[in-house]
């Protein structure tokens, strides 16, 4: 089955700097790659997603890139703000019912 | 509109007790998923329903775990004879369609039920 690895596990940046989180996946049939933000004690919230027919997608300060050949995708957050502090999860979806998550990255943005 | 809701939000059980966790998906959503999230980890897939049909239960860790969605809306995850290793947050998610149609892949999560087995 699909295996998703996520790095780094923790990331600390100064406010205004950029943050990059990277994920790799194992199954080349995966075709949908969402990123979720989870604040402490709350539900995972979708922040951006990308499909296998697209290489890059941007939404304001957030962007995601996908390299299908290398089977990796990355989340880029620019001009980070303290409210960006949370745990971020990548996921890869194959078929209809199987979404595998990475182990998460705890992002801390220092004011 | 209303999102995915789950109840109870917190559950403390003594080892050996049975528990039942409820999920109310977004109205009209065809697909429903259950995940287990251990502390400091990502959600791990447990089972998937398309309407009332349980199409995949490969993630259920043991035969003590049972899920149902009899009318294709509300779902219940039951854990029998709870063990300490069952302590986790149990997340439910729903998706509009029964398949990964373009633009319809997103899973919407509930707030989770935090289960603590003593």
């Amino acid at each position: 089955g699909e295996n998703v690895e996520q790095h780094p596990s923790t990331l600390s940046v100064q406010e205004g700097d950029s943050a990059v989180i990277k994920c790799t996946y194992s199954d080349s049939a995966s075709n949908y790659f969402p990123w979720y933000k989870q604040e402490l004690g709350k539900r995972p919230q979708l922040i951006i997603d990308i499909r296998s027919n697209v290489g890059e997608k941007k939404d304001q300060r957030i962007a995601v890139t996908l390299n299908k050949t290398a089977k990796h995708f990355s989340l880029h957050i620019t001009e980070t703000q303290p409210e960006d502090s949370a745990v971020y999860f990548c996921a890869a979806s194959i078929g209809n019912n199987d979404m595998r998550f990475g182990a998460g990255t705890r992002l801390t943005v220092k004011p | 509109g209303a999102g995915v809701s789950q109840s109870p939000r917190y559950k403390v059980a003594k080892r050996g007790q049975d528990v039942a966790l409820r999920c109310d998906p977004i109205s009209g959503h065809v697909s429903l998923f259950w995940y287990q999230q251990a502390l400091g980890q990502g959600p791990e897939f447990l089972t998937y329903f398309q309407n009332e049909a349980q199409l995949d239960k490969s993630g259920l860790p043991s035969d003590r775990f049972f899920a149902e969605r009899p009318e294709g809306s509300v779902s219940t995850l039951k854990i029998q004879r709870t063990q300490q290793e069952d302590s986790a947050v149990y997340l439910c998610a729903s998706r509009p369609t029964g398949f990964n149609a373009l633009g319809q892949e997103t899973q919407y999560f509930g707030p989770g039920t935090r289960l603590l087995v003593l």
Side-chain angles (χ1 to χ4, degrees), chain B residues 11-91:
Chain B
K11 177 69 179 177
V12 179
K14 291 183 180 178
R15 189 163 59 92
Q17 272 187 326
D18 297 349
V19 298
L21 313 180
R22 176 187 168 109
C23 172
D24 284 79
I26 294 172
S27 179
H29 276 200
V30 171
S31 295
L32 186 145
F33 305 82
W34 283 98
Y35 294 88
Q36 181 188 60
Q37 187 175 25
L39 190 63
Q41 297 295 316
E44 294 217 1
F45 170 81
L46 293 177
T47 188
Y48 161 67
F49 288 87
Q50 184 173 317
N51 295 309
E52 69 279 3
Q54 189 175 19
L55 299 187
D56 188 342
K57 54 182 181 180
S58 62
L60 296 176
S62 77
D63 59 7
R64 296 185 296 104
F65 287 70
F66 172 77
E68 60 183 4
R69 194 187 184 197
E71 297 179 359
S73 54
V74 172
S75 178
T76 303
L77 176 67
K78 297 179 180 177
I79 309 173
Q80 297 177 322
R81 305 181 303 281
T82 52
Q83 305 289 320
Q84 286 186 321
E85 59 263 30
D86 300 335
S87 297
V89 175
Y90 290 85
L91 292 164

Side-chain angles (χ1 to χ4, degrees), chain A residues 31-32 36 38 41-44 46 49 51 53 89 93-104, chain B residues 4 9 33 35 37 40-43 45 48 56 91 95 98-100 102-103 105-107 109-111:
Chain A
N31 58 5
Y32 176 63
Y36 285 86
Q38 189 174 30
K42 297 194 175 178
R43 74 188 75 195
L46 180 75
D49 56 14
R51 298 174 182 89
N53 59 344
F89 293 100
S93 180
I94 170 175
N96 299 332
N97 59 342
D98 201 353
M99 190 149 75
R100 303 291 175 172
F101 284 81
Chain B
V4 179
R9 291 294 313 278
F33 305 82
Y35 294 88
Q37 187 175 25
Q41 297 295 316
F45 170 81
Y48 161 67
D56 188 342
L91 292 164
R95 184 178 71 198
F99 50 92
N100 275 347
L102 189 64
E105 307 95 331
T106 302
Q107 295 185 20
F109 281 86

